[in-house]
Amino acid sequence: MIAMRTLLLGAAGIGVVALGAYAIGGDDAPAVAAPAVARPAVSPVSAPSAQPAQPAPPIDTPVAAAARPADCLIEPSQVVKVNTSVEGIVGYVAADRGQFVRRGQVVAQLRSGVESAGLAVARARAANSYAVGAAESRERYLDAKQQRSQRLSRYIARDAVEEAEANARAASMQTREAELGRRVASLEFAQSQRLLAERTVRSPIDGVVTQRAMAPGEYRGPDASHILTIAQIDPLHVEVFAPISQLRTVAIGDTAWVIPEDPVGGRYQARVKVIDRVFDAASGTFGLRLSLPNPGNKLPAGLRCRIEFAA
């Protein structure tokens, strides 16, 4: 009992103390702090670092595009594979690799003994004038006889007069036949000359021999493509593949400077001759051809180069 009484008195005392504290403090009593809500940590956003200003790309004007160098290739203006139109054994070849030849110069010939003999026979027939002379003499004689017969027709038989007239006409035809034979002989002589000329190989251009494909003694048959290869290097052709951006800046007749690669070097003036109308879409380029004079064949062909168009 004593313990129970003590416990009740203690509880009542604690309640009195709490009620007094509330009465004295009122609204100023400290509020109970609410539990803190966990928030995710947010890292501060860093400001973007300043980038250096990039210079603006240069504007590709037509003048700048035209003045920009372009790669090119110097090539021969013509490459001819010289051959004959007839078959036979090569007699001799008068030109070798690296030799300069002129147009019309004999560079090779097939053996032509038989053709030369035929030419001599045709020449003799064409020069034979005896048959024509004999026919003309007979024609004059029979013509005179026919005229005498006409004058004496009242004194001789009619058959003799008609025979004289017929002989005169036949003699005239024989004269025409002899003249035709002589003309045919002249044509045969010209034909023999052509056949002999076909066995002679002449250079069709001024140029340099780049290949000797056959030698004396070889047979020039249907499978042989050529005997010599000749390249014309005056003038030269300069082949250029320029960017399409330069299309409107180049016209036929314009001039440009061609700069061959070392060790040739130098600057040479050429003129635009051809502008392709079919472009290369894959590379974005179009083709140009320039003509480069090469007096004395000083510049070789097959060189890489650069080309600069005048602004």
Side-chain angles (χ1 to χ4, degrees), residues 36-301:
V37 179
R39 297 178 180 270
V42 180
S43 60
V45 179
S46 59
S49 59
Q51 298 291 335
Q54 297 293 335
I59 299 176
D60 195 6
T61 62
V63 174
R68 186 187 310 117
D71 292 335
C72 58
L73 181 64
I74 301 175
E75 295 181 344
S77 54
Q78 292 188 72
V79 178
V80 182
K81 293 184 176 181
V82 182
N83 207 350
T84 63
S85 59
V86 296
E87 300 179 9
I89 298 176
V90 179
Y92 68 88
V93 180
D96 204 351
R97 177 180 172 183
Q99 180 179 343
F100 287 94
V101 295
R102 295 292 182 184
R103 182 175 183 177
Q105 177 180 339
V106 176
V107 294
Q109 188 170 17
L110 303 182
R111 292 181 183 176
S112 54
V114 176
E115 288 74 16
S116 297
L119 179 64
V121 172
R123 182 186 293 109
R125 288 177 178 173
N128 181 19
S129 60
Y130 298 110
V132 176
E136 290 176 348
S137 297
R138 179 178 174 78
E139 181 184 6
R140 287 193 297 268
Y141 167 73
L142 294 176
D143 186 61
K145 184 178 179 180
Q146 185 264 341
Q147 291 178 4
R148 287 195 302 269
S149 299
Q150 287 289 344
R151 289 194 301 267
L152 300 174
S153 60
R154 61 172 53 181
Y155 304 110
I156 60 177
R158 184 64 185 172
D159 294 341
V161 176
E162 292 177 353
E163 182 181 1
E165 292 176 352
N167 290 335
R169 288 194 297 269
S172 176
M173 292 179 181
Q174 289 177 353
T175 302
R176 303 295 180 272
E177 183 181 3
E179 292 176 349
L180 178 61
R182 185 177 182 181
R183 189 177 306 114
V184 170
S186 299
L187 294 175
E188 290 177 348
F189 173 62
Q191 182 183 18
S192 299
Q193 286 182 316
R194 296 290 188 277
L195 290 175
L196 185 61
E198 290 293 332
R199 306 181 74 84
T200 303
V201 183
R202 299 179 181 272
S203 174
I205 57 175
D206 296 338
V208 59
V209 178
T210 60
Q211 183 188 17
R212 178 175 172 174
M214 301 191 71
E218 292 187 272
Y219 180 71
R220 213 300 293 178
D223 297 333
S225 60
H226 62 288
I227 299 176
L228 294 171
T229 302
I230 303 175
Q232 182 178 359
I233 58 176
D234 182 22
L236 291 165
H237 280 172
V238 181
E239 299 293 342
V240 185
F241 291 94
I244 296 180
S245 59
Q246 296 185 10
L247 177 62
R248 299 301 180 186
T249 64
V250 183
I252 293 179
D254 289 353
T255 58
W257 291 104
V258 178
I259 307 170
E261 64 180 352
D262 292 334
V264 177
R267 293 170 64 89
Y268 304 90
Q269 196 172 46
R271 190 174 296 275
V272 178
K273 292 295 183 180
V274 177
I275 299 178
D276 289 346
R277 290 301 166 188
V278 178
F279 302 158
D280 187 359
S283 62
T285 59
F286 69 101
L288 293 170
R289 173 178 290 173
L290 290 80
S291 179
L292 175 61
N294 188 25
N297 301 317
K298 296 179 180 179
L299 280 176

